[in-house]
Amino acid sequence: MFSRRTPQVESFKHRAGKATRSQKRSFRDHAVPKHRERSQKPESPPLGSTLTSAIITIVVGREQRLFAAHEDVLCLSPFFAAACRGQFHEAHARRIDLPDEEPEIFSSVLEYLYKGDYYPRLHYNKRHDAWELEEAASPNPASPNGRGAVESTVYHNAVAGVLLKDTVIYCTAEKYGLENLKRLALRKQGLQSGIQCSTILASARYAYANTPDTDSKMRAHYLALIIRSRNTFKRSGTMQLEMEVGGRLFFDLFVAMCNHLSDVSNVT
């Protein structure tokens, strides 16, 4: 409902999280070892909770879209736990306003808090011993490759443009203190492919603007992604314009490229 697509011009065809054989340790520090993937459990309602706690109304976005959630579930997030304590210890209305959030993103966060995942759900393919997105794993005769179509982008009013949905969810989870949701969003983004270079760069800038400098996951993901697909990006007019604007992203990219060249030199 809230997402928009633009015609694909310069697209990145490789999976965002797919590592190449020559990839070195400096580009894998954001990865989660396979033996830990299945043991990580999402935030879930407290034991004994019967979802009978008070209902909180959340007003989201410029359109003031209304959401409702149980206080116990909402307070799994430290951000909302603090908001509830600060707002409801007096006899105020049980309402939280989030004017800067995108309704589609908040809907995914709320779905995660209740169900431990958000659409499209993550599916483990035992046959291929790999993770994949549920819709992409479902047969779809109408699709050119016989797979389901997965919406990977969302229109974000703050930047007046399209961003990768999982990046926005990751940054939102950072703000709400939901570490396992961050891991989930990062893994899902790694399964996306066919994304425009301009969308990747815009999303990378958004990630840098909405994560702390100590973030070693999503930022590293984008650096590795751009380096692995450097032949595509160096032909991109968007990349040239972005580099002329500059910023922390491109300094980090320079450092990462230097490390990559050092790794290659050491191997040869």
Side-chain angles (χ1 to χ4, degrees), residues 75-250:
C75 287
L76 294 170
S77 158
F79 175 92
F80 289 111
C84 289
R85 286 196 303 269
Q87 211 169 7
F88 307 145
H89 71 286
E90 298 177 1
H92 292 174
R94 295 183 178 275
R95 166 176 167 147
I96 298 175
D97 292 304
L98 301 173
D100 298 325
E101 297 290 0
E102 292 296 327
E104 183 173 348
I105 298 301
F106 185 76
S107 178
S108 294
V109 172
L110 205 56
E111 181 181 4
Y112 167 81
L113 288 175
Y114 274 97
K115 300 180 180 180
D117 203 345
Y118 62 89
Y119 177 83
R121 290 183 293 273
L122 196 62
H123 169 75
Y124 183 72
N125 188 321
K126 293 183 179 179
R127 180 179 179 183
H128 296 99
D129 189 28
W131 293 96
E132 56 191 15
L133 298 175
E134 187 176 53
E135 289 297 307
S138 304
N140 183 359
S143 176
N145 61 2
R147 299 282 183 162
V150 178
E151 179 61 76
S152 59
T153 59
V154 60
Y155 184 85
H156 202 295
N157 285 289
V159 300
V162 171
L163 299 173
L164 285 169
K165 177 181 177 181
D166 296 312
T167 292
V168 182
I169 290 176
Y170 181 97
C171 294
T172 304
E174 170 71 38
K175 179 169 64 176
Y176 293 162
L178 298 170
E179 290 298 319
N180 287 336
L181 177 54
K182 287 170 58 180
R183 297 187 186 98
L184 179 62
L186 184 64
R187 177 161 301 284
K188 286 189 174 186
Q189 181 159 305
L191 298 175
Q192 300 290 354
S193 61
I195 308 299
Q196 294 183 60
C197 290
S198 58
T199 301
I200 292 174
L201 291 171
S203 300
R205 277 198 176 279
Y206 182 87
Y208 264 75
N210 292 276
T211 56
D213 289 340
T214 54
D215 179 80
S216 62
K217 305 296 183 181
M218 184 60 78
R219 292 187 179 195
H221 166 84
Y222 275 112
L223 297 176
L225 171 59
I226 294 171
I227 291 173
R228 286 199 304 271
S229 54
R230 54 192 176 276
N231 289 332
T232 298
F233 278 95
K234 73 180 182 181
R235 297 191 300 268
S236 169
T238 304
M239 183 67 167
Q240 180 180 348
L241 292 174
E242 288 285 345
M243 291 189 74
E244 290 174 356
V245 174
R248 175 65 184 269
L249 165 63
F250 293 99

